[in-house]
Amino acid sequence: MTISNQSMSTPNSISSNTSPANPFTMTNMLKWSALGTVALALLYVVWGLYLAGEPLFAIVILALCVGVVTIFGQAKYYTARFIFPAIAAIGIFIVLPVIYTSYIGFTNFGSRNLLSFERVTGQFLRAVSVDKSTERSFKIIADGENYQIFLTDGDQTLATQSTPLDGVPHELPLSIATLPDNEPLAMRDVIKLRTELAQVT
C-alpha cells in the first residue's frame, strides 16, 4: 500500500510543479523587438513606394513583411524559416522582374512613357536645336575680371564689349573689331563658363 500511495502521488506532484511558459523572457522580447523593427522598416518602404506611385512594388514589399512576421513570429512555422529567404529572393529578384518586364514588353509603357505629363512636357521644352547656318566660331579673351567675346563672320571679326560673365543676363551688341594678340581662353576654360555664356544674347 505504501508503494501505491507513492506512485499515485507522483503525477500530482509533477502536475503541480508544471507552470505555463513565460512569454516575457529575454529571448522572446529580443525576438519580437527585432521583428517589430524589421516590420516597421518594411512598412516605411511600402509607404514610400506608394507615395512614389509604385503600388505594385508596395504590394510586393507588404507581402514580404507579412511573410517575415508570420513565419518568424510563430513557432509552428519553424521549418519554413530555412526556405523562406530563398523563396522570397527568387520571387523578388527573378520571378517579379521577368513578369514585369514581359508585361512592359507588350504595352507602350516604356521608360519615357512612364513619366508624368508635366515631366515629359518639360523635357521637350528643354530640348533645343541649333540652325547650322547660324553657327559661328568664337573666341573668348580675358580682360582683367571681364571677358570679351569675338565672333568670326566671314572675313569680318565681330566683338562684344568687355563685360563680366557673372550669370546675370546680358544683351551685348556686336561691333566690328580686330582680334587682339592676347591668348584666348582654352576650351576647358570656356566650358567652365558655359552656364554664364548661356545668359549672354
Side-chain angles (χ1 to χ4, degrees), residues 54-86:
E54 299 291 346
L56 175 61
F57 295 106
I59 293 174
V60 172
I61 301 301
L62 181 61
L64 176 64
C65 177
V66 173
V68 169
V69 174
T70 302
I71 292 177
F72 289 91
Q74 300 189 31
K76 63 181 179 180
Y77 297 115
Y78 180 81
T79 55
R81 299 176 185 177
F82 298 97
I83 61 174
F84 176 76

Side-chain angles (χ1 to χ4, degrees), residues 4 23 28 39-40 64 67 71 111 133 152 155 166 173:
S4 61
N28 287 337
L40 288 176
L64 176 64
I71 292 177
S111 59
S133 62
T152 302
D155 297 334
D166 49 8

Side-chain angles (χ1 to χ4, degrees), residues 42-59 61-62:
L42 291 176
L43 289 176
Y44 178 78
V45 174
V46 170
W47 180 247
L49 289 173
Y50 178 77
L51 293 180
E54 299 291 346
L56 175 61
F57 295 106
I59 293 174
I61 301 301
L62 181 61

Side-chain angles (χ1 to χ4, degrees), residues 117-127:
F117 177 78
E118 291 76 12
R119 290 188 61 184
V120 174
T121 304
Q123 283 190 355
F124 280 113
L125 292 178
R126 286 194 300 269

